[in-house]
Amino acid sequence: MPLKNYAVLKGRPINNRLATGASPHYQVLVSENGTLHRIAINVRSQDGSEVEFLVRSRFEHPINDMLTELPEGLHPIASRPGGVALDFIRGNIAQPWEFRPLPLSASGPDNDLNEKIDAYVQRAMSDELAMIYAFGETWGPENDKADKYFGFKPGRGVHDIHYNQGNPPGRFAAQNGPWQDGGLIFEFPGQRQWTAIFLKFQTQAWHSDDASGDVIGQPDPDHPNLPHIPVDPNRIPPFDVPDGLVRIIAAYVNDVRTPERETVTLLNTADVAVDLAGWQIADKQKNRFSLSGAIEAGSTRVIVMEDPVKLSNKGGIISLLDARGIKVHGVSYTKEQARQPGRTIPFQS
């Protein structure tokens, strides 16, 4: 069963508590027009393994425009594409090799999760225009209880602010689901900057089933032949782990002519040619365009898009799927990036 009360909280951070050995969560007190909530951010897993993190100091994604339009408050989210729901994989939020494990706390500056998160929370608290967006599962209101960290009543808030799929069979597998990932996003309007913090546990697999969010390859009587694709920490992957072997490095989405000619540029990072037969490129609406031929070692290839794939000028996502239907790379771009006709959008990965 996926999360029951998936939502995003938009408000002003006004207080905080660092995680400790007895409390594995970094706590933030958030006010939305005077109504108080607590957000609890995991910085240590219950099995003692380190949490993996990714900080995007400049987060650019199509959901930013939608988040700006939200009023302050707690907003339930439908777990499906096309809205503000987060999905690290399908929403092209991140690549698996970008996550790095860090301890809850460690001696020295800026080398543990407490310090990484605290730096942005402190910055947001000191900026009266800044907003925080917490994605996850809600709890409360607990009408008979005051919050145990900040004392407000009734207690309420948001937790599960992390990757919420790919859990192996066991205690947390029931929480698996697509389009329900947690995350912490900061908006600094004065600097026209968005920053995001994304977390996942080392025990969570990167590739998951599109329908259930369960680990691909786990025993499933309905899908007995699905391959298991393990997480690979290397930037240049081996051939049995497809992530990033071929990458999307650019897209031309806003042509100066009509009808528009749209292209996606691929880069082969391998030292041998890769056969693209059966591979596909998918757009934001999950329409797919089939590829053929090969891409030579270390070479690029420009793919001209055809129906039904459409690269929207209002922002979108582009995904690359291998012959098994496994997403091996993905990118996103904003309306602002696509604003100027005739310009190619470059992607970093």
Side-chain angles (χ1 to χ4, degrees):
M1 177 184 292
L3 301 184
K4 295 180 180 179
N5 300 296
Y6 184 49
V8 59
L9 171 66
K10 178 178 181 177
R12 287 277 303 129
I14 59 175
N15 205 346
N16 71 308
R17 296 284 188 277
L18 294 177
T20 65
S23 175
H25 294 81
Y26 182 103
Q27 312 286 349
V28 184
L29 179 63
V30 175
S31 171
E32 51 96 355
N33 295 314
T35 300
L36 299 180
H37 303 256
R38 173 168 59 90
I39 61 176
I41 307 161
N42 287 81
V43 293
R44 189 187 67 201
S45 65
Q46 294 196 13
D47 64 5
S49 62
E50 293 179 348
V51 176
E52 297 179 331
F53 85 102
L54 168 63
V55 174
R56 290 233 186 275
S57 59
R58 290 199 172 274
F59 178 62
E60 297 180 329
H61 196 277
I63 68 169
N64 292 4
D65 290 338
M66 291 183 277
L67 292 177
T68 298
E69 294 174 358
L70 288 177
E72 286 190 46
L74 187 65
H75 303 275
I77 305 174
S79 295
R80 59 172 182 258
V84 297
L86 294 182
D87 190 306
F88 290 6
I89 308 168
R90 297 159 190 86
N92 293 348
I93 296 293
Q95 314 298 339
W97 58 82
E98 295 180 290
F99 287 85
R100 291 289 180 266
L102 269 186
L104 181 154
S105 61
S107 59
D110 195 32
N111 61 355
D112 60 56
L113 271 181
N114 258 332
E115 292 175 341
K116 294 286 186 185
I117 297 171
D118 192 56
Y120 290 104
V121 172
Q122 294 289 348
R123 177 183 169 187
M125 287 194 296
S126 65
D127 182 345
E128 63 181 15
L129 298 179
M131 285 288 168
I132 192 170
Y133 300 82
F135 292 78
E137 174 90 313
T138 66
W139 82 82
E142 300 171 317
N143 293 320
D144 297 327
K145 294 182 180 180
D147 184 78
K148 64 180 180 180
Y149 288 92
F150 299 108
F152 65 91
K153 192 173 183 178
R156 72 182 115 211
V158 182
H159 64 155
D160 289 338
I161 304 175
H162 50 70
Y163 186 63
N164 287 309
Q165 54 187 305
N167 290 296
R171 177 180 176 185
F172 298 107
Q175 297 177 354
N176 286 338
W179 295 102
Q180 57 159 28
D181 289 335
L184 202 61
I185 299 177
F186 300 87
E187 180 185 10
F188 300 103
Q191 295 77 43
R192 299 184 64 184
Q193 180 182 359
W194 293 77
T195 295
I197 298 176
F198 302 116
L199 305 170
K200 69 181 289 293
F201 299 114
Q202 290 180 306
T203 53
Q204 292 175 307
W206 181 254
H207 292 284
S208 71
D209 182 80
D210 285 342
S212 67
D214 292 334
V215 180
I216 289 180
Q218 292 295 334
D220 183 342
D222 297 323
H223 304 90
N225 298 317
L226 283 176
H228 174 63
I229 307 296
V231 173
D232 182 77
N234 300 316
R235 290 187 178 276
I236 300 178
F239 283 97
D240 60 345
V241 180
D243 297 298
L245 192 67
V246 179
R247 303 182 184 181
I248 301 170
I249 61 170
Y252 184 75
V253 305
N254 191 353
D255 201 356
V256 295
R257 298 163 294 184
T258 301
E260 286 192 316
R261 179 180 181 269
E262 300 172 338
T263 67
V264 172
T265 304
L266 306 179
L267 168 68
N268 179 10
T269 66
D271 57 356
V272 297
V274 173
D275 184 4
L276 298 179
W279 290 45
Q280 297 177 312
I281 291 176
D283 63 15
K284 182 178 181 179
Q285 304 303 325
K286 305 307 176 187
N287 299 313
R288 298 185 180 189
F289 174 73
S290 297
L291 307 181
S292 61
I295 181 170
E296 296 300 318
S299 296
T300 60
R301 181 174 167 188
V302 178
I303 308 294
V304 178
M305 294 292 96
E306 298 178 8
D307 288 339
V309 169
K310 299 290 186 183
L311 304 182
S312 172
N313 296 344
K314 297 181 180 180
I317 62 176
I318 309 170
S319 301
L320 179 64
L321 313 175
D322 71 7
R324 295 174 291 179
I326 301 296
K327 197 195 87 170
V328 299
H329 198 242
V331 296
S332 66
Y333 62 93
T334 65
K335 179 180 179 180
E336 179 64 21
Q337 289 174 305
R339 179 177 59 85
Q340 187 171 346
R343 297 294 296 270
T344 296
I345 302 172
F347 301 111
Q348 296 180 345
S349 57

